[in-house]
Amino acid sequence: MDTRGRLGRVIYFPPEAPPLDPDLVISPAGPPLVAAPDRLHDFAYEPFYAPLATLYAERALERARRSEVEDYLRARREHERELIGRLAAVEGLEPDARSTGLREFAREQTPALARLEERALELRPRLVSGRWFGDTTADWNATRLWRLGRDTDVRARSQYLVFEYQVMKAAPFYEVGLSAAQRRLLREVAAEMGTGVSRSRADAADDGFVFFQPETARVRLPTALPPRVEAMLSEFLAGKAALRADLREAVFETDAIFASATRRARLSDVARRHQPRFDAIEASAEAIRSALDEGRLVQRIAAPPPLPTRLVTVLEAYEDGKRRLEDELDDHVEETIARELPPHFSSRMEERSRPYKWARIRQREEPAFREKHRARFEEVDRLLVEFEEWIEALADTDARAIELLAGVADAAWSADEFIRARRRAEGLYLYDTAVFEPGLSPEQRRLLFAGALARLRLPLPEGQPQPKQLPRTIAR
């Protein structure tokens, strides 16, 4: 349900990464007041999640921008497939040989991943600016009439902690001048602050999980570690906590600066000063991984058995065909809107009613679109039937095999249930590998972690209105 007319522009933030736990249970959220678009699952770890979500929800993402986003996602998935294939190839090797093989591949793949991450950073400000014409800026700050800052006294800062939390939650996606590493670490800052502003979350905060690397990943490590490893971990956690605190303070102080160019310059300088500390944290995390692996100190999560090649082909073709038809229908609706609605449709008043007009036109146009592309829709349906028949046949002949492939037992195996269970098993394996596998580069770890969050399909937080006036404002 879109409520922009009542709430103004709606902002959507990504779900927090869950702790790494083989018994992880992802409970569905209750019916949201303002639901986030389902396709955002693929972008849960991206620096452009929030502005993209607003544009998706309002049907305001122009075709050129959407093509950029989809091209980025295809490239990310291709690199992910390459890395998963290499991980499978070294699976049976001795630890030293496995790490050596992965380090060699890291040197080969990492430059391309660095370029991919740069593409994501370049997409972020273009999505924040929204459409080229009309009232479509997706910036959380656009309507905010209050500011925090260094002139706020300690008592006022404590009193308005919830608003500081909002700033820290929004900064990874909307603030200027931050590095990619700072944007990721700010998501830890917001998660950590969230336990302080929510009583229910604070009660569960002392659960033994700690932030590790990649940023926002949380793990529970053994309580009885060898003294050397314990010292390494303590130093790592202290260094990362200090960096989080410094980054939070920098964002808090610069929030008082209204001029974005000045804020950008100030935070860019902070980013340059922070980079050596980020590098040291990565190096420390890698040393800890190697020590944990050498001593077999962590119970790893294994990859689920590979699916039959034909089934992989069918599943990929089904999901790709379904997604392409949905995108083409969206394009058709946009073209119809451009033909039928008046030229002033991009004005402020008309833009606010866009989602309602879009839904009505889609409902009207969809039957004719489906008839025009009937053969393609039938092929997607045929692929689904083939997939379901395979599941039914395997469940009848080898229930244990299907449990291993899906990663859970005692399920009623519809196609959707199997896919969800399989994706969960894959997600937990990728999460574990991103955190604990020695020999990977930081870029490869982030690639796997992004894939893990996409597969886990975490409940997407509902939308919230852009901030406006703060009662008894502490604005300067």
Side-chain angles (χ1 to χ4, degrees), residues 148-153 252-254 256-257 266 476:
L148 308 176
R150 59 174 156 239
D151 290 347
T152 304
D153 64 42
F252 179 87
E253 290 187 357
T254 55
I257 303 172
R266 191 77 57 86
R476 291 179 60 207

Side-chain angles (χ1 to χ4, degrees), residues 167-471:
V167 169
M168 300 303 158
K169 192 172 183 179
F173 311 100
Y174 299 104
E175 187 55 275
V176 296
L178 297 168
S179 69
Q182 287 176 316
R183 294 184 188 282
R184 294 189 299 269
L185 191 63
L186 275 169
R187 293 174 70 166
E188 287 189 13
V189 171
E192 195 173 49
M193 290 186 69
T195 63
V197 299
S198 168
R199 181 180 301 275
S200 60
R201 293 179 59 189
D203 292 341
D206 188 18
D207 53 11
F209 288 97
V210 296
F211 285 117
F212 200 61
Q213 292 293 101
E215 288 88 357
T216 76
R218 288 186 291 152
V219 298
R220 181 189 284 128
L221 297 173
T223 55
L225 291 170
R228 181 179 68 91
V229 182
E230 183 67 43
M232 293 166 63
L233 180 61
S234 296
E235 182 179 358
F236 167 84
L237 294 176
K240 196 173 187 186
L243 186 53
R244 279 198 302 268
D246 288 354
L247 180 56
R248 174 180 171 181
E249 196 65 25
V251 171
F252 179 87
E253 290 187 357
T254 55
D255 192 58
I257 303 172
F258 281 88
S260 62
T262 305
R263 255 191 355 268
R264 182 191 302 275
R266 191 77 57 86
L267 288 172
S268 295
D269 181 63
V270 174
R272 284 189 293 272
R273 289 187 280 108
H274 278 180
Q275 191 54 50
R277 296 169 67 182
F278 278 106
D279 294 341
I281 284 172
E282 288 288 4
S284 178
E286 187 64 15
I288 293 169
R289 287 187 193 101
S290 297
L292 292 172
D293 186 64
E294 181 181 347
R296 303 292 190 271
L297 299 173
V298 174
Q299 182 69 38
R300 299 289 302 279
I301 298 176
L307 295 174
T309 302
R310 173 58 187 169
L311 193 63
V312 172
T313 301
V314 168
L315 182 56
E316 289 181 348
Y318 165 72
E319 292 180 330
D320 183 64
K322 183 178 178 181
R323 183 169 52 250
R324 287 179 182 273
L325 284 168
E326 289 173 351
D327 288 345
E328 289 177 26
L329 176 56
D330 286 350
D331 288 342
H332 174 70
V333 172
E334 291 289 347
E335 291 167 359
T336 304
I337 288 174
R339 287 196 309 270
E340 295 185 1
L341 294 178
H344 66 275
F345 182 65
S346 290
S347 70
R348 179 180 296 269
M349 183 178 298
E350 291 295 329
E351 198 67 45
R352 291 195 172 188
S353 62
R354 178 183 179 84
Y356 304 101
K357 290 183 172 70
W358 197 98
R360 286 201 299 270
I361 291 175
R362 178 186 170 113
Q363 185 177 25
R364 188 194 73 197
E365 294 293 317
E366 185 171 359
F369 180 87
R370 295 184 70 91
E371 179 62 28
K372 179 179 179 181
H373 299 282
R374 180 168 58 180
R376 292 172 63 193
F377 278 100
E378 289 176 348
E379 174 62 12
V380 168
D381 291 341
R382 186 196 67 77
L383 291 168
L384 179 61
V385 169
E386 181 177 346
F387 186 72
E388 289 175 331
E389 289 176 346
W390 177 88
I391 292 173
E392 183 177 351
L394 185 59
D396 289 341
T397 60
D398 192 348
R400 177 58 180 162
I402 199 169
E403 290 172 4
L404 289 172
L405 288 171
V408 296
D410 302 323
W413 294 117
S414 70
D416 286 342
E417 287 168 332
F418 179 89
I419 291 171
R420 280 196 299 271
R422 174 72 186 190
R423 294 298 187 236
R424 175 190 176 278
E426 293 172 345
L428 290 174
Y429 161 68
L430 293 182
Y431 194 145
D432 177 275
T433 303
V435 171
F436 288 125
E437 186 66 45
L440 300 175
S441 70
E443 290 84 357
Q444 289 176 314
R445 296 186 189 285
R446 293 191 287 270
L447 176 70
L448 293 176
F449 193 58
L453 296 185
R455 284 167 173 78
L456 291 175
R457 296 187 70 82
L458 305 167
L460 300 176
E462 67 180 12
Q464 54 189 261
Q466 284 174 302
K468 295 186 179 180
Q469 182 65 52
L470 172 64

Side-chain angles (χ1 to χ4, degrees), residues 72 112-121 184 442-443 446:
Y72 168 83
L113 296 184
R115 291 191 293 271
L116 186 70
E117 290 186 341
E118 189 61 32
R119 282 175 63 181
L121 287 176
R184 294 189 299 269
E443 290 84 357
R446 293 191 287 270

